[in-house]
Amino acid sequence: MHGEYKVPGGKLVVVDLDVEGGELRRTRVAGDFFLEPDEALEAINGALDGAPADTDAAGLAARVDAALPEGTVMYGLTSEGIGVAVRRALAHATDWTDYDWQLVHEGPQPPALHMALDEVLTQEVAAGRRPPTLRVWEWGAPSVIIGSFQSLANEVDAEGAARHGIEVVRRISGGGAMFVEPGNTITYSLSVPDALVQGLSFQDSYAYLDDWVLGALADMGIKAWYQPLNDIATDAGKIAGAAQKRMVAPGGGPGAVLHHVTMSYDIDADKMLDVLRIGKEKLSDKGTKSAKKRVDPLRRQTGLPREAVIDRMIDSFRSRYSLAQGKVTEAELARARDLVRTKFATAEWTARVP
């Protein structure tokens, strides 16, 4: 069995192993990491050999930590990353390079249609009718997007939204409310087979699916990192928030994961505060005193036009995994429009948590 895992902000860990009698055997760890002293590698392999095959990643990491020689130093490698690589091998997880990726980047769409497209395209990936897809959104109108389980009244000031002509929609994924305006926001979705995140915890899958964008930001001079559970942050503040939804395939087979991210290119903080109800507890949780200071837009940090930031992100993804130009099919668009009518544009859905 073979498993790979790129440690967030670190290096690639590769594990090859067998399972006999319910235990790991002939375990071999490799990768482009740095490790001192040399004998630490054999200590890691020895610690994993004999481990029950159902040991979780944390348990495997504990075995590794207990076996490391005194003074061991790991660069780009963590015991937790080794544990995850083992679990991915056991789960027969796939890798980014195992797929032919498709890019969908089309013209501006209404907010409710974006919600529907996320659901439809991810369902198509789950059914095996669409390849793994990176979809870059263009917004047709300003909007507030609330998480699947958020209270509409608690999150949105209805009078403020009406005053500014802002549409409120509810997405199918969890997480917090996002304030978006055309030209000020960069949003993308990944619709991927469930096999890509096999062996990863829910939390680890967030960092794993956005490691590519951290590299793209680094190429633009931005040192960014994942701040659990679902924020992308810099020294100057948060620049993005992520959310996920797991979907099962028809008939109960392997499913797919929807992972989408909204990034602030620029922001009208006064308007945001007039529309969103941002409580003091949420702000104190982030260690800040002002909602205006929680978000630090990409426009200031990069000095690049929004379109250039998007182009560089796409180029970064393509250089890593290849990326063919695609589009939403007529059948997919028809299904999405029907979902807008029956679900995403209805008061029943938007206010399902009043």
Side-chain angles (χ1 to χ4, degrees):
M1 300 178 187
H2 178 86
E4 298 185 2
Y5 178 62
K6 185 180 181 300
V7 176
K11 299 292 186 177
L12 181 69
V13 184
V14 181
V15 175
D16 292 282
L17 56 86
D18 296 319
V19 175
E20 294 177 356
E23 296 181 342
L24 307 187
R25 297 296 180 194
R26 292 175 288 281
T27 309
R28 290 294 177 263
V29 175
D32 59 354
F33 49 79
F34 301 90
L35 179 65
E36 296 288 349
D38 286 348
E39 53 265 31
L41 185 59
E42 282 308 309
I44 292 171
N45 292 333
L48 296 172
D49 268 358
D54 60 357
T55 307
D56 64 14
L60 294 167
R63 290 176 70 103
V64 169
D65 287 335
L68 290 175
E70 185 176 355
T72 295
V73 179
M74 296 187 283
Y75 300 94
L77 175 69
T78 64
S79 57
E80 293 81 5
I82 295 169
V84 170
V86 170
R87 294 309 315 169
R88 285 176 61 75
L90 292 167
H92 301 285
T94 56
D95 184 68
W96 295 84
T97 55
D98 292 331
Y99 299 103
D100 295 321
W101 291 85
Q102 186 174 109
L103 170 68
V104 172
H105 186 195
E106 300 180 331
Q109 303 281 13
L113 185 58
H114 278 307
M115 306 301 110
L117 285 170
D118 260 0
E119 181 169 332
V120 169
L121 298 189
T122 307
Q123 287 174 339
E124 290 296 286
V125 172
R129 294 187 292 263
R130 161 172 282 279
T133 299
L134 168 65
R135 183 170 75 91
V136 180
W137 304 20
E138 294 296 344
W139 292 93
S143 180
V144 167
I145 305 95
I146 58 175
S148 181
F149 310 106
Q150 288 189 296
S151 161
L152 176 61
N154 288 346
E155 297 298 327
V156 182
D157 184 312
E159 292 182 359
R163 185 163 51 250
H164 294 289
I166 292 176
E167 180 180 353
V168 180
V169 294
R170 185 184 296 274
R171 60 180 184 266
I172 59 174
S173 61
M178 305 299 295
F179 172 78
V180 304
E181 293 183 288
N184 283 355
T185 306
I186 297 173
T187 303
Y188 66 86
S189 301
L190 287 169
S191 297
V192 305
D194 184 69
L196 185 62
V197 296
Q198 283 296 307
L200 298 176
S201 68
F202 191 76
Q203 178 173 317
D204 287 340
S205 70
Y206 274 81
Y208 182 72
L209 290 176
D210 276 330
D211 187 67
W212 70 274
V213 83
L214 299 186
L217 291 170
D219 292 341
M220 287 181 268
I222 300 175
K223 181 181 179 181
W225 60 87
Y226 229 91
Q227 185 169 294
L229 172 64
N230 61 335
D231 288 348
I232 297 177
T234 70
D235 285 331
K238 172 182 172 178
I239 58 174
Q244 285 186 9
K245 176 69 175 179
R246 309 293 172 105
M247 296 186 184
V248 298
V257 177
L258 167 65
H259 178 94
H260 44 197
V261 173
T262 295
M263 313 178 79
S264 292
Y265 173 73
D266 204 348
I267 193 166
D268 185 333
D270 290 327
K271 187 185 295 185
M272 178 185 73
L273 292 176
D274 203 28
V275 174
L276 294 183
R277 301 185 190 276
I278 301 177
K280 293 181 179 179
E281 184 174 348
K282 182 179 292 187
L283 296 180
S284 63
D285 174 62
K286 304 297 181 182
T288 61
K289 294 182 179 179
S290 169
K292 295 182 181 180
K293 297 179 181 178
R294 288 186 63 207
V295 179
D296 194 69
L298 289 169
R299 179 178 182 177
R300 189 193 68 79
Q301 293 204 45
T302 65
L304 296 170
R306 175 180 176 275
E307 293 74 16
V309 174
I310 292 174
D311 287 344
R312 291 198 184 191
M313 289 170 57
I314 292 172
D315 288 345
S316 181
F317 191 103
R318 183 178 288 115
S319 70
R320 285 169 166 81
Y321 312 121
S322 78
L323 190 63
Q325 185 65 47
K327 64 179 182 179
V328 176
T329 68
E330 289 299 323
E332 290 168 339
L333 185 58
R335 283 179 55 202
R337 286 173 173 161
D338 190 54
L339 270 179
V340 170
R341 181 181 59 81
T342 60
K343 180 177 180 179
F344 290 104
T346 67
E348 290 79 9
W349 170 257
T350 305
R352 76 183 188 98
V353 183

